[in-house]
Amino acid sequence: MKLSTIAQSLADEIKAQDWSDAHTRADGARHDRQIDHTQSEQLSDAETDTVQVNVVWVVGQALRTHDPNFDIHVFAEAAGVSPAYRLRNDGSPSGAMDAGIRPVDGDEYTPRQLARLLGYRDESRPGKVVRDYLRSKYPNRRKHSRWKLTEHEAADVLANVPPKR
């Protein structure tokens, strides 16, 4: 799938930025660590990846609203998002990219998507940390039924399940 002209332009800008010191500077799209010789504290590689993927999600949310053919997976790859966020161990697209943008009416989240979004990528039972939280919050829910979460429920999970560090 090909990105729209505006989506490709935005992805190129995101990819071109040095996000490693985004928490200490506000100098816009002109920033180039090689030229600026900035001495500010840098984020770790994992922290830098997290900043970048958040930017992709925010921009992707706006693009999704205006482009019915928008694909967050293609956009994230074009913007240089780390494969750790984009792909499963087998190389197929992960649910994390979809989980990072608000759903269109009727979209639902799964515990596996939310767990991956929170950084739980190596669980032996994917999504277990989220299902454990949901079971404690909804103890009377029928056992062995699939969890399909609304945007509100997903937001609650993301606010209350600690991210894996």
Side-chain angles (χ1 to χ4, degrees):
M1 175 177 202
K2 187 176 176 178
L3 292 172
S4 67
T5 304
I6 188 68
Q8 186 62 59
S9 177
L10 291 166
D12 292 345
E13 283 294 328
I14 291 168
K15 188 174 184 176
Q17 293 303 306
D18 177 356
W19 298 103
S20 66
D21 61 353
H23 65 299
T24 61
R25 65 170 174 81
D27 58 352
R30 293 179 304 276
H31 179 66
D32 182 338
R33 184 176 282 279
Q34 300 301 320
I35 295 169
D36 297 347
H37 302 291
T38 306
Q39 298 299 314
S40 61
E41 178 185 333
Q42 284 187 263
L43 298 170
S44 70
D45 289 345
E47 291 168 328
T48 300
D49 289 345
T50 300
V51 169
Q52 185 177 20
V53 76
N54 276 302
V55 170
V56 165
W57 279 324
V58 169
V59 173
Q61 185 68 49
L63 288 169
R64 183 179 187 193
T65 302
H66 298 286
D67 180 356
N69 298 315
F70 179 73
D71 185 326
I72 189 65
H73 299 280
V74 174
F75 183 65
E77 183 177 8
V81 170
S82 168
Y85 278 102
R86 296 185 300 102
L87 304 173
R88 294 185 177 102
N89 290 338
D90 67 3
S92 64
S94 77
M97 294 314 305
D98 293 309
I101 55 178
R102 289 187 306 277
V104 174
D105 289 339
D107 282 359
E108 298 170 326
Y109 293 101
T110 66
R112 179 184 292 219
Q113 289 172 317
L114 296 173
R116 191 157 175 83
L117 180 60
L118 289 164
Y120 295 89
R121 295 182 183 88
D122 54 1
E123 293 180 295
S124 60
R125 294 177 54 210
K128 184 175 183 324
V129 67
V130 172
R131 288 191 302 277
D132 288 347
Y133 168 76
L134 291 168
R135 286 184 190 117
S136 70
K137 183 158 180 141
Y138 305 103
N140 296 326
R141 185 175 182 277
R142 191 175 63 121
K143 292 186 179 204
H144 307 295
S145 58
R146 292 186 62 110
W147 290 97
K148 293 184 179 179
L149 307 172
T150 65
E151 180 180 355
H152 177 75
E153 292 166 328
D156 174 62
V157 167
L158 294 175
N160 291 293
V161 175
K164 186 175 181 181
R165 297 283 174 200

